[in-house]
Amino acid sequence: MEKYARVTSPNYTYLFNFESDFIHKKTLKWMEENWTSSFYYVGLYVFVIFGGRYWMQNRPKFELRTLLVAWNLMLATFSIMGACRTLPEFTHILTHHGLYHSICIPSFVEQDKVSGFWAWMFTLSKLPELGDTVFIVLRKQPLIFLHWYHHITVLLYSWLSYAETSASARWFMVMNYCVHSLMYSYYALKAMRYSPPKQLAMIITSLQITQMLVGCAISLWVRRLILRKTDCHITILNNSLALVMYFSYFVLFVKFFYYSYMSRNKTIKTNISAVNDVYALIKSKTM
């Protein structure tokens, strides 16, 4: 299992039984054999959301506020736990083994049971996260291309990356957990009818833009290493997909930030478009 030399792990204060019992070989084998089933889930997802939109056309919207609060609180708790359990390994590797190791050596799943378990949970979570769109459809809120494009690509990419044990996933996973911790907490407050300050929304968007920019930078650096034949445990296909995804997300979030917080001379049409984009962008799950 461990192609690379064993590295030191952070000194965890406590290990849960489900973490200490985690066996990467088993989950890797399952994902290698089943990751392509994600295409079937995507097909079902597209059928449900667009069929649901058609079904809801002449029906009153569902409020679902209590369920929405519970949903966001659940995802916020999950993200906070994921961030707390993966950040120690991430910072430990950066501090003791350097940037190259953090991007190119997949010890976070092959050698660290805690980080490995939460990498597995992160990958699987992209399937139930499709449920976000169900709330949009049933509450008759705007469903634009960006929202379902994002969910589809993140699910497919995450499952492929786990099957390939892509090393750069360490960065993508930790960034996602951290941003989602704040983002879902914000959604939960909004669902409970609290009114967080506008500055908090701006901070979340800025973090999302930063996440996409870092993703692009990592992908470009990895591509350079691959072209130079430097050992880096990432396939050229995986790296190309990551670069396309992160760049497209970066452009969309920059546009969102501009129209939401900076632009002052917008036409009525632009205002309507921006509102739709804002909702879909902020409800999208970034990788």
Side-chain angles (χ1 to χ4, degrees), residues 53 136-137 139-144 147 272 275-277 279-280 283:
R53 281 187 70 192
I136 292 178
V137 171
R139 301 180 79 212
K140 300 188 75 170
Q141 294 176 320
L143 176 63
I144 64 173
H147 180 89
I272 294 174
V275 168
N276 290 343
D277 283 352
Y279 179 80
K283 285 300 293 178

Side-chain angles (χ1 to χ4, degrees), residues 114-125:
V114 174
S115 182
F117 173 81
W118 288 98
W120 175 237
M121 290 296 100
F122 173 81
T123 305
L124 294 182
S125 71

Side-chain angles (χ1 to χ4, degrees), residues 165-233:
T165 318
S166 178
S168 58
R170 173 191 274 114
W171 277 77
F172 304 156
M173 172 186 67
V174 173
M175 289 193 299
N176 188 263
Y177 269 139
C178 291
V179 173
H180 279 191
S181 296
L182 181 59
M183 186 179 70
Y184 277 118
S185 298
Y186 175 83
Y187 295 157
L189 290 174
K190 294 288 288 185
M192 289 185 283
R193 299 186 186 277
Y194 288 102
S195 299
K198 180 181 178 181
Q199 289 76 8
L200 180 56
M202 294 179 68
I203 290 172
I204 293 174
T205 308
S206 298
L207 289 174
Q208 290 169 324
I209 292 174
T210 302
Q211 177 185 355
M212 305 314 166
L213 186 59
V214 172
C216 287
I218 289 174
S219 299
L220 287 171
W221 191 50
V222 168
R223 177 167 292 273
R224 185 179 180 185
L225 292 175
I226 292 174
L227 293 176
R228 290 185 172 186
K229 308 297 183 183
T230 304
D231 184 26
C232 195
H233 202 276

